[in-house]
Amino acid sequence: MSPVTVPQFAVISGAQVQRALAGREKQVVELVEATYRWHDAGESVNPPSYFLRFPERPAARIIALPASLGGDLRVDGLKWISSFPDNVQIGLPRASAVLILNDPGTGYPFACLESSIISATRTAASATLAADHLTRGRQRPVRVGFVGTGVIARYVHTFLACTGWSFNEIGIHDPSADSTAGFRRYLDRAGTAGRITVHDSAGGVLLASDLVVFATVAARPHVHDPSMFDHGPIVLHLSLRDLAPEILLDAVNVVDDVEHCLKAETSPHLVEQLTGNRDFLAGTLADVIDGRITVPADRPVVFSPFGLGVLDLAVGKYVYDQVACAEDLHVVADFFHDLHRYG
Ligand SMILES: NC(=O)c1ccc[n+]([C@@H]2O[C@H](COP(=O)([O-])OP(=O)(O)OC[C@H]3O[C@@H](n4cnc5c(N)ncnc54)[C@H](O)[C@@H]3O)[C@@H](O)[C@H]2O)c1
């Protein structure tokens, strides 16, 4: 039997991804919110990420995030993302990635997308969504701080700025003078109105901010003093390993997915190991969005998102649809070949 249609396979470049997402920050935040709801409603399969590590290169890793998303999108796939922190010294970004999308009807892969932009975008959209929902019961922060000022910090700032946030004060800290200078240049280019202060410690940023973004590459906790959180900031703990257990034990803790987050020596995982229980967790972002938990206005709140493959699938499928709609898909001719069962 001949196949009804020969499956197509397209390759989508970073330039196409960037064009498809530019100026669509609000839509992407809404898409990420819908995806968290589908995930919460059980309309997803999102097994644990698989970490490929190298004994002779302990700082490097490549992570596989397989996932399947139902809801309105219906797509399966895999993100394959490398983290090589030393790349920065040779002028390359730390993270590089591809995303494969699979057709849920046949299983056939139908696209391979450059995915460092998709990954940074879904991370920033998730952080922006969290900042919005976690601050609903309190005054909206106008003092923001960034601890770690690389690619992710830039994307988070762009998403906040493009979805209506404005800040009087922007505090930054990064041990790398290059990163600090680069982030300052980015803020200037973005036309940021707020006053920018470079701090010589994470503590300085914390004390001067009501919304704090951690986007470092720290492998273990380097912030230990709970008194720096006495003013009750909202902390977007994207890099997951910066805060000592005593900080989390004093805070309201929100995660994206409990099983995912309590793994791989994240700060929440360290708390679980220390206390032997999960009582320190208030719930998930979906619980906050759907009003099942209320976040107190006078306590520090720490959002630790492990980063779910379903978010990459949702944003990747959105990009695919935009590129297909613009009739700009680069289909690889004859990618699937020898489709007749007996030749
Ligand atoms: N949770 C998620 O879903 C998610 C998604 C993507 C990336 N991330 C994480 O975000 C982090 C940042 O990624 P990136 O692409 O921006 O990396 P990057 O290499 O571009 O930037 C990281 C910056 O952190 C700085 N840094 C290192 N240690 C620090 C410390 N103790 N204090 C302050 N700054 C410090 C480095 O000098 C560097 O400038 C990584 O840990 C990455 O794993 C999380």
Side-chain angles (χ1 to χ4, degrees):
M1 195 175 21
S2 299
V4 187
T5 52
V6 175
Q8 281 194 345
F9 188 80
V11 174
I12 298 182
S13 70
Q16 289 177 296
V17 171
Q18 196 168 49
R19 275 199 299 277
L21 293 171
R24 299 207 167 95
E25 289 80 7
K26 279 190 182 149
Q27 290 96 312
V28 176
V29 173
E30 284 165 15
L31 176 63
V32 163
E33 175 167 359
T35 306
Y36 276 131
R37 285 178 195 270
W38 287 321
H39 180 63
D40 186 63
E43 294 195 50
S44 65
V45 185
N46 204 130
S49 303
Y50 183 86
F51 285 65
L52 177 65
R53 297 188 190 277
F54 316 96
E56 76 291 3
R57 288 168 280 154
R61 62 179 190 225
I62 312 182
I63 313 178
L65 291 84
S68 170
L69 186 58
D72 297 348
L73 287 180
R74 293 200 68 236
V75 63
D76 306 332
L78 173 78
K79 175 166 79 166
W80 181 232
I81 182 160
S82 308
S83 172
F84 281 55
D86 293 347
N87 280 1
V88 173
Q89 280 149 31
I90 55 166
L92 275 177
R94 173 192 66 81
S96 58
V98 291
L99 176 70
I100 302 289
L101 299 179
N102 293 76
D103 179 338
T106 62
Y108 267 72
F110 60 91
C112 174
L113 296 86
E114 192 292 327
S115 201
S116 66
I117 296 171
I118 289 171
S119 183
T121 296
R122 63 78 151 148
T123 304
S126 152
T128 301
L129 180 71
D132 177 17
H133 282 277
L134 296 174
T135 54
R136 287 204 176 169
R138 57 173 78 192
Q139 230 176 359
R140 216 178 209 216
V142 289
R143 302 186 308 160
V144 70
F146 291 89
V147 181
T149 55
V151 172
I152 294 297
R154 167 164 68 87
Y155 270 77
V156 172
H157 178 270
T158 300
F159 259 77
L160 289 169
C162 291
T163 54
W165 291 74
S166 59
F167 302 105
N168 300 338
E169 303 273 349
I170 302 179
I172 60 180
H173 167 67
D174 195 302
S176 152
D178 279 353
S179 299
T180 310
F183 194 65
R184 278 202 79 139
R185 278 197 304 277
Y186 151 75
L187 289 173
D188 289 341
R189 259 197 336 269
T192 308
R195 187 173 63 167
I196 301 164
T197 308
V198 177
H199 295 270
D200 58 13
S201 69
V205 173
L206 275 160
L207 292 172
S209 312
D210 303 309
L211 176 66
V212 188
V213 180
F214 277 87
T216 75
V217 284
R220 59 195 61 82
H222 56 100
V223 178
H224 295 271
D225 181 359
S227 74
M228 289 173 186
F229 298 75
D230 281 350
H231 57 301
I234 301 288
V235 180
L236 306 175
H237 185 211
L238 309 183
S239 34
L240 294 165
R241 296 174 184 86
D242 303 85
L243 305 179
E246 50 270 36
I247 309 287
L248 269 60
L249 284 168
D250 240 24
V252 177
N253 290 285
V254 177
V255 296
D256 53 354
D257 179 293
V258 174
E259 293 306 328
H260 280 250
C261 210
L262 296 184
K263 282 199 171 73
E265 309 293 307
T266 62
S267 298
H269 190 199
L270 299 183
V271 179
E272 186 187 36
Q273 288 170 354
L274 187 73
T275 62
N277 63 58
R278 298 177 171 186
D279 298 351
F280 66 100
L281 291 178
T284 64
L285 185 58
D287 290 330
V288 177
I289 291 170
D290 285 341
R292 290 188 293 271
I293 56 173
T294 311
V295 174
D298 55 352
R299 291 192 54 204
V301 179
V302 178
F303 175 55
S304 302
F306 197 74
L308 301 176
V310 284
L311 299 186
D312 297 286
L313 282 188
V315 176
K317 181 64 169 39
Y318 177 85
V319 168
Y320 178 89
D321 289 343
Q322 298 287 330
V323 177
C325 194
E327 298 187 357
D328 197 21
L329 282 179
H330 299 168
V331 172
V332 181
D334 302 328
F335 189 83
F336 294 111
H337 192 61
D338 198 8
L339 297 172
H340 293 106
R341 197 148 180 240
Y342 300 109

